[in-house]
Every structure is written in C-alpha cells, then in structure tokens.
C-alpha cells in the first residue's frame, strides 16, 4: 500500500475507533476476512485493456528503451558504502510555513509544473552542485530518478473510488534527463525550470490508455526483482493530508474530539543507499521529509534536505529584467 490508500485505511480505523455503534471486533466472524480482500489496480481500473497485447506491449517496450542507460548517472553517495544495521533508518523533516507554501504552490502553477516535478528538479540541481561537472564532461551525465508517480485515482471505475480502493493508487514512469538537454551556463532559476520541464516531458506516457496497468504488467517481467541502482532516488508527493484523513475525530455523542491528528510521517522499506523524499501539506504548510538508511550520517542528510528545499525555492525568484 502506498501513501494515499494507507491514509484511507487510517481513516476507516479512526472512524471505527470513534463510532459507538460499531460492532465489537470480537463479534466479527473468524475466517471470513478473505471475502473482503481489496482488488488490485487492474481490476479496480476496469480490468485488462482489450488492446493490451498490442498497445500495452508496445508501451512496455518504450519504457524499457527509455530506461536504457547510455550516459553516466548523477549520484549523491553517503559517507559509508554500506549500512551498519539492516533496517535502521533516519528520517528528517523540514516544514515550510503556510505563507511560503502558498507562494510555492502559486508559482508552480504560473510556470506550469507540479510540486513533484519542482522538487525532483531541485534534487537534480543538488546532485549537479555536488558532482561539480566541468563543461567538458557535462553532456556525458544524466539525472536518473527511480520513478515519477502517476495517480490511478482518475482511472478508477465504479463502484471503486478513493475511499474503497486500497492496493496501489499510482503507477510509475521512469525519469532520465540527459544533461545535454540542460544548459550549464544559465541562471540557477532558469536551470531549475529547464530540468522541471524536462521531467514533465517524461510524463508524456501518463496519458497512454494502458498506463494504469503498466506497474502490474512489469511485475511479471523477468527482471522485476532485479536490484535497482544505488544512485536512484525518488520524490513522492502525497498531497494534502486533510483530503484523505480528517485531523479531528469526534465520538457519536460528545462535542469534543476524541482525538486529534497533530503530525504524520512516512516510512518505506529501503532497498538501496539512495535517500527517498516525501512531500505533503498539512494545515497549509508543506512538509518535506527525507529518509535514508544509516549509511548516511544525520548531519549529511540534513544538509541534503536543506539544499533541496533551497533549490526548490529558487522558483520564487524573478527573472532579471532585460535592459532597454
């Protein structure tokens, strides 16, 4: 389960906890839970596409070709080359106040990119700064993201909706941006927008009719369980928490809330040394969380988080005016 369905599951659990009329759990019939197993993304989005054998297979080939590594990937490596305690992770969070968040949201709309693409571009800029590429080798590198998430919510078919669908609410598009398409001599803000626009072009696959079923189909490919490169990270935008999960839960009779939600965090199983970034808004403020295993010293991870946020805020700067 990814972030969206997990929040839906919490909402159902909180509703059960605050509803006096809910049947006690000890009265529920044992051994019947398998009747209520949720459907996967293929069935919930209308079942297999009739043209999958042609259009779907062709889309898989295009994505595989797009992922082919032809240049050197940009990387930000931790201090140590392996983790000391398997399973131990470090999560750090940066909260941007509601005023700054509002400005960022408005500016991304004006320039025509999403918050996800903005922070993916900011992360790419941090990698460029840390690798300090001279002009002679600039074109030999690329930015490779693990994936850019595409929501499946618009593709759900009745009777399934955001409240009833739990098993995966997104599919993934690979990201690979050649530095040959990005200028090394423009201002930081222009470079940020160049990268964000290049990432957005990668999302051209998102409108393909077969895209909702790509993730499930790729799970059956021979290399589905192969290890991803350690250099690939990802940016995941959960969106507004309040859209899926109320922050205040009242009981059936009392006017006062039984409990209130003050904060959230996200955690995923880490399979590489690359950090994972989550974005969400709550009470009007943007939260940016970075998670990595203990190969990363906390101070280094904090510097990485601060640098990403600083690069993302470059979008708020105005372009210099041309002299007449």
């Amino acid at each position: 389960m990814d972030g969206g369905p997990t929040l839906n599951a919490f909402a159902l659990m909180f509703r059960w906890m605050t509803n006096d009329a809910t049947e006690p759990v000890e009265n529920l019939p044992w051994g019947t839970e398998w009747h209520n197993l949720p459907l996967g993304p293929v069935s919930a989005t209308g079942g297999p596409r009739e043209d999958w054998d042609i259009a779907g297979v062709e889309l898989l080939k295009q994505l595989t070709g797009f992922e082919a590594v032809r240049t050197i990937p940009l990387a930000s490596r931790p201090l140590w080359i392996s983790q000391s305690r398997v399973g131990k992770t470090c999560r750090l969070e940066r909260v941007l106040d509601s005023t700054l968040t509002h400005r960022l949201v408005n500016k991304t709309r004006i320039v025509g990119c999403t918050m996800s693409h903005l922070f993916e571009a900011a992360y790419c800029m941090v990698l460029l700064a840390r690798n300090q590429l001279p002009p002679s080798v600039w074109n030999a590198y690329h930015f490779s993201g693990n994936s850019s998430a595409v929501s499946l919510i618009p593709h759900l078919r009745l009777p399934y909706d955001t409240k009833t669908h739990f098993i995966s609410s997104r599919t993934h598009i690979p990201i690979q941006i050649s530095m040959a398409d990005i200028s090394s001599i423009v201002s930081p803000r222009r470079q940020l927008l160049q990268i964000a626009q290049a990432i957005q072009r990668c999302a051209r696959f998102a409108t393909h009719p077969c895209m909702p079923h790509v993730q499930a189909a790729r799970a059956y490919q021979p290399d589905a369980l192969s290890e991803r490169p350690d250099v690939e990270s990802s940016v995941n935008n959960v969106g507004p928490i309040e859209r899926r999960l109320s922050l205040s839960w009242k009981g059936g009779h009392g006017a006062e809330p039984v409990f209130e939600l003050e904060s959230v965090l996200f955690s995923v199983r880490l399979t590489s040394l690359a950090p994972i970034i989550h974005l969400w808004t709550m009470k009007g403020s943007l939260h940016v969380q970075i998670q990595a295993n203990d190969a990363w010293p906390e101070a280094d991870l904090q510097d990485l988080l601060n640098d990403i946020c600083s690069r993302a805020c470059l979008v708020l700067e105005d372009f210099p005016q041309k002299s007449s």
Side-chain angles (χ1 to χ4, degrees), residues 237-254:
N237 186 6
V238 181
I241 296 297
E242 295 92 332
R243 189 173 60 191
R244 298 178 181 269
L245 187 62
S246 174
L247 304 186
S248 179
W249 293 84
K250 297 180 180 180
H253 306 291

Side-chain angles (χ1 to χ4, degrees), residues 133-206:
L133 304 181
S136 59
V137 299
W138 179 273
N139 291 353
Y141 282 79
H142 73 266
F143 170 66
S144 180
N146 189 359
S147 63
S148 186
V150 177
S151 174
L152 294 182
I153 299 304
H155 302 278
L156 294 177
R157 305 284 181 86
L158 292 175
Y160 309 103
D161 56 30
T162 56
K163 302 299 182 184
T164 60
H165 179 64
F166 292 101
I167 304 302
S168 183
S169 66
R170 64 186 186 182
T171 189
H172 299 272
I173 295 174
I175 296 175
Q176 189 172 139
I177 307 300
S178 171
M179 291 302 102
D181 298 328
I182 306 299
S183 175
S184 62
I185 58 174
V186 294
S187 68
R189 184 181 189 269
R190 287 190 184 277
Q191 190 177 81
L192 176 73
L193 294 181
Q194 280 186 358
I195 299 170
Q197 290 162 0
I199 292 173
Q200 198 153 359
R201 287 194 293 272
C202 293
R204 66 185 184 276
F205 297 109

Side-chain angles (χ1 to χ4, degrees), residues 61-96:
K61 290 180 180 178
Q62 291 179 20
L63 291 173
T64 300
F66 185 71
E67 287 181 303
V69 177
R70 301 178 179 88
T71 50
I72 307 168
L74 292 167
S76 181
R77 301 186 184 279
L79 180 63
W80 299 293
I81 61 173
S82 64
Q83 54 186 333
S84 60
R85 292 179 57 187
V86 176
K88 181 182 178 182
T89 62
C90 175
R91 284 186 297 271
L92 300 175
E93 183 182 356
R94 177 93 176 263
V95 182
L96 308 186

